[in-house]
Amino acid sequence: MSKTSILQFLSSSQPHLLNLTILPQAPEAQRVFQQSNNVRIPFPEAIPLGSNITLAYGTPTKISVVGSYARKTALLLNSNITHIFQVNDYRDHRYFHKRAFYLAWLAAGIQKANTPALVVLFAYQDDNPLQPILTIQPTLHESAGCAYQSWMIRLLLAAHDDIFPLEKMLPTKSCTRYDAVDAQGDHATPIYNATIRSECCSSSSLKQLHWASVRSGAFQDACMLGAVWLSQRGFGSSRSTGGFGQLEWATVMSLLMQDREGAGPPVLSPGYSNYQLFRATLLFLSTTDLKSSPMIVQSSSFKPTHSMNPMLFDGSKGLNILFKMSRWSYDLLRDEAQTSLKAINDPLADPFQTLFINKVDEPWKMFDCIVRVPVEGGDDDISHTGHVPDRAAGLAEILYEKFSFGLGDRAQLVYPKIPSVQPWELDMGPSHSNRMADVIVGLFLNPEHCSRTVDRGPPVEDKEASTLFRRFWGDKAELRRFKDGTILESLIWDNSGSKRAVIHSIISHILHRHLRHYRHGSDHGHSEAFDRLLPQQTSTQPSILGPFSAAMTSFEHLMKSIRAMEGLPLQIRQIFATSPALRYSSLLAPAAGKQQRPVRPIELLIQFESSTRWPENLFAVQRTKAAFLLKVAESLDRDELVTAIHLRLEKPGRKLLEHSCLDIKTTDGLVFRLRIYHERELGMLEQTLNGRIPCGASREEIALALSQHKRKCIQRPMHTQAVSTLVTRYPLLSPTIRLLKKWRDCHLLSLHLADELVELIAIHTFVCPYPWQQPGSLNSAFLRTLGFVADWNWQSEPLIVDLNSGLDKQAVEAIRARFDAWRKLDPGMNRMAMFAASDIDREGVTWTDRCPAKIIAARFTNLAHSACELLRKQGLKLEPEALFVPSLTEYDFVIHLEPAHHRKSSSFKNLQNNSRGGPFDATIDCSQSYISELQELYGDNIIFFCNESATSIIAGLWNPQTGPRSWRVGLRYSTMPLDKEAGGAEQRVTINQTSILCDIARLGGDMVRKIDQK
């Protein structure tokens, strides 16, 4: 609908509203109205029997257009109805009863105007049951063209500022009488009072905002920045969205621009720019606790009483600006402000992206655990728990108190989200539209305390505290004596199964004991299901790192044995761990005992002391390493912890890449792979590449050897050490990395995304978590990581991860400059698609050089984007397993392997060896050997995809460069001729797909069950 059409509707509706039939005050007005109109009066509470209240309707004294109509974002009609009230109508809901009747008379008048193109509904203003309003929208058939869907007129009611005495409407006053059974003195009704005051001072509020915009030219732009910031975090003026929206932001800014009597200059200077005003307001919200220290503006006489709700009191209006905010919504607002300020000051974060672009309020990213409790089905008197007579608000209040006390330091923040009441028909009540709604409780968990199984309560000597403790926990509480001799009330929780079992046990116990009527409809979301997706943990230790305890213990024993060896030509300087298993990040944690599956060897790196006796020839260095390893094998052969030793060559026949390694099998069934690091080898490779040292290898092979040396011998040990440190600092980092690797493997990207690249992506969620705080559960950490991958524009943005807090602003700028140089050098991204740098690897190409390719990087982000879209559509109803189901329709062919063969390596005679202690069957995976052979033979013509952790299928895409082309001698793949085109002079050929697939099947032998071709 155009702006002209809206103006036409407003100009035609205003005379109609002003000419409605006047109904003088009469006790029988309600009965007369309901007999002649099909409109149900939206009373907030039924009028008590015997009440002498008189209802009436009179012509509005003024109708004005307010809101954000100038920016075409909202349209509100403000109708002044002061003349129907008397001076004492502020008491006992009389104001709201008369207001509701007046609104119903307006609705009936508009309904009788016979406007079929419009739909008139009742709604709650800001989800406040005391403030029903009218909404006017176009009908569905008229809005089908979507041009009419962008507008809605909200008809609000207002009164004069001086209609009621200001001193009677203060937050500390009571304006309702309680029943004798409930009354325990003079109860204050702050929300009731503030609701009336907000309608009485609407005009003065607009004047105050106009004064602020005149005083500061940047005020309006700062308000727009604040509106976007609040919207991205799900905040709004309604109670269901936190009670702090664009109007409250602008009002707070205007108050902070006023002079403070005896308290110095204003918080916000009129000379600030829009960004300075925005940032200073964030600083005020984050550092000022308005719950414990209420802020009073322009009032020296008002003294607030103790209350847990936030208060920013404007004395000129007699109104608490934050009256719609609950305790939990204010805590969340402060938390978001603090997080935003951290992002602004972090050199690795993008403040604009974090503050104004990222959508923060998606529940599956925002909260660590989600609990849904239905509003209907509980006790009838629960709606009177809070100040506002609303069942959802009362239930949210109870859930907040019970969960906050029960979870204690396990939860950093408890946030019950009240459902919004949808508009309803004029002849119906609001309850039908909100009957199936749920209160969703979001939890910010503390990962350091989540798995604690023992809670210590008050000492037995404290009778009062002990009674309260047992009253809350019931039979779960028990008296225990601890090692220090103290006798305390305590709780013991079962931690079997998932690491989040304690949290779910506590929540279930609280719901069962304190909200029994709601327990059957409650749901804990899918937070625990993500824990179950990790491979079964074989360790009995309660720690998240427990599955890796066997590997770490065996590694320590092997290090002691190696360092105790005698007879070596040189002393051992250092033993480096380079395997994911030794940095707690491998998907399948090594387990002690007899292995039922092929085991990935745990890689180690040995550095000997410096010596001038090392040869100067690269080939001789490799032979010397082999001799050293033979000497190590000879020494370990007598060790009781070692059961088998085997020396092998990697990539035999390829000169510089022909590296030797020593496989060591220990008594607990684990296999370690030992390599030697020579510090002078890097310089020799660089000089050979530059032509200073003659070498018989090709330049390409030298460059590949140099790249592998940097990756395996320099960067990987430093990366392993850094990740090991971070895993102990962030308890959820290890399971997040493992789950992300499982997701990568399930989508057949194991061959293309290096473990270290996946680990850097997961680490980024923890060291730079913005726009959120650090994740407190596995599901939030994993889903935020997927969200980052989905939004990562790797073509123009580098991934920069600060592993050891070693990056400052200058270092980050230098890394970005190196990224820009790579894009200029390789605009087609043929060598380097993704750029992943850190403080220990500022080159940024160690883990992404030539792999992944552009097509793989694009598929990686597209898969993450599809997963996020699935989450948005299904929300909390999504089964997490659905995110790990691969799609095979995009591939040109799929090879299905026989599981009975690709895991049984001992059936192949040529793969057995006769080393001491028996063959190394546990280190041989025939399927992986098969994939390696395929890549070696067909890697230039086919892109292979597989799941290395559970290889049952191998998918492939034909390289587009193998399509139809002119025939020539020396093509590196099997071809077949194509029919000549009419008049064509040359023969065109294409890759012989059928022949190559037959060769692939023949190479796999009994392992290949079938091959599906598109």
Side-chain angles (χ1 to χ4, degrees):
M1 193 174 188
S2 64
K3 183 175 181 179
T4 304
S5 301
I6 297 177
L7 288 175
Q8 291 177 353
F9 171 78
L10 293 176
S11 60
S12 61
S13 61
Q14 182 169 351
H16 180 72
L17 294 175
L18 294 175
N19 295 326
L20 290 179
T21 303
I22 298 177
L23 178 66
Q25 294 190 10
E28 300 295 327
Q30 179 181 356
R31 182 179 58 82
V32 173
F33 173 82
Q34 292 180 340
Q35 289 177 352
S36 58
N37 297 280
N38 189 25
V39 176
R40 182 174 177 179
I41 304 175
F43 288 130
E45 284 192 354
I47 298 179
L49 295 176
S51 174
N52 59 353
I53 184 173
T54 55
L55 305 177
Y57 176 82
T59 303
T61 57
K62 183 180 181 182
I63 298 178
S64 57
V65 179
V66 297
S68 303
Y69 175 62
R71 291 197 293 268
K72 303 179 183 180
T73 59
L75 180 60
L76 302 95
L77 288 176
N78 196 325
S79 177
N80 197 301
I81 56 172
T82 303
H83 54 286
I84 67 172
F85 298 112
Q86 299 175 355
V87 68
N88 290 325
D89 281 346
Y90 66 89
R91 300 189 65 86
D92 300 328
H93 292 87
R94 296 171 63 90
Y95 173 86
F96 296 110
H97 288 146
K98 290 187 175 183
R99 180 190 184 280
F101 180 80
Y102 191 95
L103 189 71
W105 191 273
L106 281 175
I110 297 176
Q111 190 180 56
K112 292 177 180 179
N114 193 16
T115 53
L118 299 176
V119 175
V120 182
L121 302 172
F122 282 129
Y124 282 146
Q125 180 180 344
D126 299 332
D127 289 323
N128 189 343
L130 299 175
Q131 288 181 288
I133 59 174
L134 284 179
T135 64
I136 305 173
Q137 291 179 278
T139 56
L140 292 177
H141 71 274
E142 188 177 352
S143 60
C146 83
Y148 297 92
Q149 297 178 356
S150 59
W151 70 275
M152 176 177 65
I153 297 175
R154 302 171 64 207
L155 183 58
L156 313 182
L157 302 180
H160 281 309
D161 184 55
D162 56 354
I163 186 174
F164 301 126
L166 182 61
E167 62 276 5
K168 300 292 185 179
M169 306 299 298
L170 295 176
T172 56
K173 300 297 183 179
S174 173
C175 294
T176 61
R177 294 180 219 146
Y178 288 79
D179 295 335
V181 178
D182 299 329
Q184 298 295 333
D186 191 18
H187 292 269
T189 55
I191 296 180
Y192 177 99
N193 303 355
T195 302
I196 298 178
R197 286 302 307 162
S198 65
E199 294 194 346
C200 293
C201 61
S202 58
S203 177
S204 59
S205 297
L206 294 176
K207 293 178 181 178
Q208 179 180 338
L209 296 181
H210 177 71
W211 169 86
S213 63
V214 173
R215 182 174 174 83
S216 173
F219 177 79
Q220 292 186 357
D221 292 338
C223 290
M224 294 180 66
L225 290 177
V228 174
W229 182 83
L230 290 170
S231 175
Q232 295 300 90
R233 282 147 184 81
F235 280 101
S237 294
S238 66
R239 292 189 306 126
S240 62
T241 54
F244 192 90
Q246 181 178 358
L247 176 61
E248 287 74 21
W249 175 280
T251 305
V252 169
M253 286 185 58
S254 64
L255 291 177
L256 296 180
M257 294 177 64
Q258 298 180 10
D259 294 330
R260 298 180 295 170
E261 299 179 2
V267 177
L268 302 181
S269 172
Y272 282 174
S273 65
N274 53 10
Y275 179 72
Q276 288 175 324
L277 288 173
F278 169 77
R279 183 170 178 175
T281 306
L282 282 184
L283 183 62
F284 169 79
L285 293 175
S286 64
T287 57
T288 306
D289 187 359
L290 297 176
K291 291 196 302 183
S292 58
S293 302
M295 183 174 180
I296 313 300
V297 180
Q298 293 187 357
S299 177
S300 57
S301 59
F302 175 67
K303 302 298 180 183
T305 58
H306 176 72
S307 174
M308 295 303 297
N309 292 323
M311 177 174 289
L312 177 56
F313 186 76
D314 185 357
S316 62
K317 306 185 189 70
L319 176 66
N320 176 20
I321 305 300
L322 309 180
F323 77 96
K324 289 179 289 185
M325 295 196 75
S326 59
R327 290 175 285 173
W328 51 89
S329 64
Y330 179 71
D331 290 339
L332 182 62
L333 178 67
R334 292 193 65 200
D335 184 82
E336 294 293 348
Q338 293 168 1
T339 303
S340 298
L341 288 175
K342 291 179 182 178
I344 292 175
N345 298 322
D346 194 328
L348 292 178
D350 183 354
F352 182 79
Q353 180 82 17
T354 300
L355 270 61
F356 307 114
I357 302 299
N358 290 334
K359 191 65 175 173
V360 183
D361 64 326
E362 294 173 318
W364 43 276
K365 287 184 182 179
M366 187 175 188
F367 300 115
D368 300 317
C369 181
I370 297 175
V371 183
R372 294 185 300 178
V373 181
V375 175
E376 293 295 326
D379 299 329
D380 293 335
D381 59 347
I382 197 172
S383 61
H384 297 282
T385 302
H387 295 289
V388 177
D390 178 67
R391 176 183 291 273
L395 177 59
E397 188 79 22
I398 289 180
L399 290 171
Y400 174 77
E401 293 178 353
K402 302 303 182 183
F403 282 9
S404 297
F405 181 84
L407 293 173
D409 59 357
R410 290 185 175 89
Q412 298 175 348
L413 192 146
V414 178
Y415 183 77
K417 184 175 178 60
I418 302 173
S420 177
V421 181
Q422 300 301 317
W424 65 93
E425 299 290 340
L426 298 182
D427 58 344
M428 302 181 69
S431 59
H432 77 280
S433 62
N434 204 32
R435 187 172 296 126
M436 303 305 295
D438 297 333
V439 172
I440 297 178
V441 184
L443 303 177
F444 291 176
L445 299 179
N446 187 341
E448 296 181 1
H449 302 295
C450 279
S451 301
R452 187 178 66 240
T453 57
V454 179
D455 286 340
R456 297 193 178 193
V460 67
E461 294 82 6
D462 192 343
K463 300 297 183 181
E464 182 178 356
S466 298
T467 302
L468 293 175
F469 188 84
R470 286 190 170 272
R471 184 181 303 165
F472 184 87
W473 293 110
D475 296 338
K476 190 68 178 177
E478 59 183 47
L479 206 60
R480 296 178 67 93
R481 182 189 295 273
F482 292 90
K483 292 182 178 180
D484 57 359
T486 58
I487 302 177
L488 304 175
E489 297 285 351
S490 58
L491 301 168
I492 308 298
W493 303 102
D494 182 17
N495 196 24
S496 60
S498 169
K499 297 300 178 183
R500 298 293 168 262
V502 173
I503 293 294
H504 294 283
S505 298
I506 295 175
I507 292 174
S508 298
H509 182 80
I510 292 174
L511 291 175
H512 176 78
R513 179 164 178 80
H514 299 283
L515 295 120
R516 184 170 303 178
H517 297 286
Y518 296 88
R519 181 176 60 89
H520 299 291
S522 63
D523 181 19
H524 297 179
H526 49 58
S527 54
E528 192 176 12
F530 282 95
D531 293 308
R532 296 195 299 266
L533 290 175
L534 287 176
Q536 183 65 32
Q537 298 180 355
T538 58
S539 174
T540 58
Q541 298 187 14
S543 171
I544 292 179
L545 307 181
F548 298 92
S549 59
M552 299 302 297
T553 302
S554 185
F555 170 60
E556 293 175 359
H557 292 163
L558 183 61
M559 277 202 309
K560 292 179 181 179
S561 299
I562 294 176
R563 291 187 178 277
M565 290 187 305
E566 298 179 355
L568 294 178
L570 297 174
Q571 295 294 323
I572 296 177
R573 175 189 295 178
Q574 188 68 39
I575 301 177
F576 300 101
T578 61
S579 173
L582 297 181
R583 55 179 182 260
Y584 310 99
S585 64
S586 61
L587 175 58
L588 301 175
K594 186 177 180 180
Q595 306 298 323
Q596 301 297 327
R597 54 179 171 80
V599 177
R600 186 176 182 178
I602 302 173
E603 298 183 355
L604 306 177
L605 204 62
I606 289 184
Q607 180 183 7
F608 290 95
E609 63 180 350
S610 300
S611 174
T612 57
R613 291 184 293 173
W614 280 90
E616 298 293 336
N617 183 275
L618 286 173
F619 303 112
V621 168
Q622 302 305 323
R623 299 298 181 266
T624 304
K625 288 182 179 180
F628 268 103
L629 290 177
L630 286 173
K631 191 66 176 177
V632 172
E634 180 182 344
S635 300
L636 290 177
D637 190 60
R638 299 182 294 271
D639 196 296
E640 296 180 353
L641 296 176
V642 178
T643 61
I645 303 175
H646 177 62
L647 181 68
R648 66 171 70 242
L649 290 179
E650 297 178 313
K651 299 185 182 298
R654 296 194 62 180
K655 295 184 179 181
L656 291 178
L657 301 179
E658 188 180 82
H659 294 171
S660 55
C661 59
L662 186 68
D663 286 351
I664 305 170
K665 188 175 182 179
T666 61
T667 54
D668 52 12
L670 300 181
V671 178
F672 293 85
R673 179 161 291 173
L674 200 61
R675 294 187 178 90
I676 294 178
Y677 166 58
H678 177 40
E679 67 273 9
R680 293 173 55 192
E681 191 173 356
L682 176 62
M684 296 170 63
L685 285 170
E686 291 176 344
Q687 294 180 16
T688 303
L689 185 64
N690 295 331
R692 300 176 184 176
I693 298 179
C695 179
S698 65
R699 182 177 179 84
E700 180 181 356
E701 187 175 349
I702 297 172
L704 183 59
L706 177 60
S707 175
Q708 288 191 3
H709 179 81
K710 289 182 178 179
R711 184 183 302 114
K712 292 182 178 181
C713 300
I714 298 177
Q715 290 298 333
R716 191 165 287 168
M718 291 192 297
H719 178 84
T720 300
Q721 183 178 5
V723 174
S724 301
T725 303
L726 290 173
V727 163
T728 57
R729 184 185 307 170
Y730 304 111
L732 293 169
L733 177 56
S734 173
T736 302
I737 293 176
R738 297 174 63 199
L739 193 58
L740 187 61
K741 287 183 178 180
K742 179 181 177 69
W743 183 83
R744 172 202 63 180
D745 293 348
C746 288
H747 291 286
L748 311 181
L749 298 178
S750 303
L751 301 176
H752 306 282
L753 298 173
D755 283 345
E756 291 79 4
L757 174 60
V758 176
E759 291 165 9
L760 288 176
I761 293 174
I763 292 171
H764 182 270
T765 303
F766 289 84
V767 299
C768 189
Y770 314 111
W772 302 279
Q773 294 280 15
Q774 291 176 5
S777 67
L778 177 57
N779 63 296
S780 62
F782 172 70
L783 295 178
R784 290 178 193 178
T785 305
L786 277 188
F788 168 76
V789 174
D791 297 335
W792 182 19
N793 184 11
W794 46 266
Q795 296 94 333
S796 58
E797 296 177 5
L799 172 64
I800 305 176
V801 183
D802 194 359
L803 299 175
N804 301 311
S805 302
L807 291 178
D808 53 14
K809 187 175 182 179
Q810 291 75 16
V812 173
E813 291 177 353
I815 293 175
R816 294 186 182 276
R818 187 174 292 108
F819 169 77
D820 294 336
W822 265 108
R823 284 294 182 254
K824 293 179 181 178
L825 182 66
D826 182 23
M829 294 176 284
N830 297 316
R831 177 176 174 180
M832 191 273 296
M834 290 180 168
F835 186 95
S838 65
D839 54 328
I840 60 175
D841 176 27
R842 306 193 180 190
E843 293 184 359
V845 295
T846 301
W847 317 116
T848 59
D849 189 9
R850 297 183 176 87
C851 187
K854 286 188 298 183
I855 185 175
I856 305 298
R859 178 158 180 79
F860 182 46
T861 53
N862 289 338
L863 286 171
H865 181 74
S866 299
C868 293
E869 285 297 319
L870 185 62
L871 276 165
R872 292 188 182 99
K873 290 180 180 179
Q874 300 190 14
L876 301 179
K877 299 179 181 179
L878 175 71
E879 291 294 334
E881 289 80 2
L883 301 178
F884 295 81
V885 178
S887 174
L888 303 179
T889 58
E890 298 87 355
Y891 300 107
D892 293 329
F893 63 88
V894 178
I895 306 171
H896 298 267
L897 303 183
E898 289 284 0
H901 285 281
H902 73 269
R903 290 299 188 192
K904 289 179 60 177
S905 58
S906 59
S907 62
F908 297 92
K909 296 293 185 180
N910 61 315
L911 296 181
Q912 296 182 2
N913 81 52
N914 298 318
S915 300
R916 179 178 72 87
F920 272 82
D921 289 347
T923 66
I924 301 173
D925 188 344
C926 290
S927 61
Q928 294 302 316
S929 301
Y930 180 48
I931 294 171
S932 300
E933 189 73 13
L934 292 179
Q935 287 186 298
E936 187 74 19
L937 295 174
Y938 306 105
D940 294 337
N941 308 318
I942 303 175
I943 304 176
F944 291 99
F945 301 83
C946 75
N947 180 351
E948 285 187 335
S949 60
T951 308
S952 59
I953 58 174
I954 302 173
L957 290 174
W958 299 104
N959 192 326
Q961 296 181 356
T962 61
R965 61 180 301 170
S966 300
W967 181 86
R968 63 178 176 84
V969 177
L971 289 177
R972 301 183 62 181
Y973 51 86
S974 175
T975 60
M976 59 182 298
L978 297 175
D979 295 336
K980 286 187 177 182
E981 299 179 358
E986 59 181 11
Q987 178 67 51
R988 295 181 64 80
V989 296
T990 185
I991 190 169
N992 192 343
Q993 298 180 2
T994 304
S995 174
I996 292 178
L997 290 179
C998 290
D999 292 340
I1000 289 175
R1002 189 179 304 111
L1003 182 64
D1006 293 339
M1007 283 194 301
V1008 178
R1009 179 163 54 91
K1010 67 175 182 177
I1011 298 179
D1012 295 331
Q1013 188 175 6
K1014 183 182 294 186

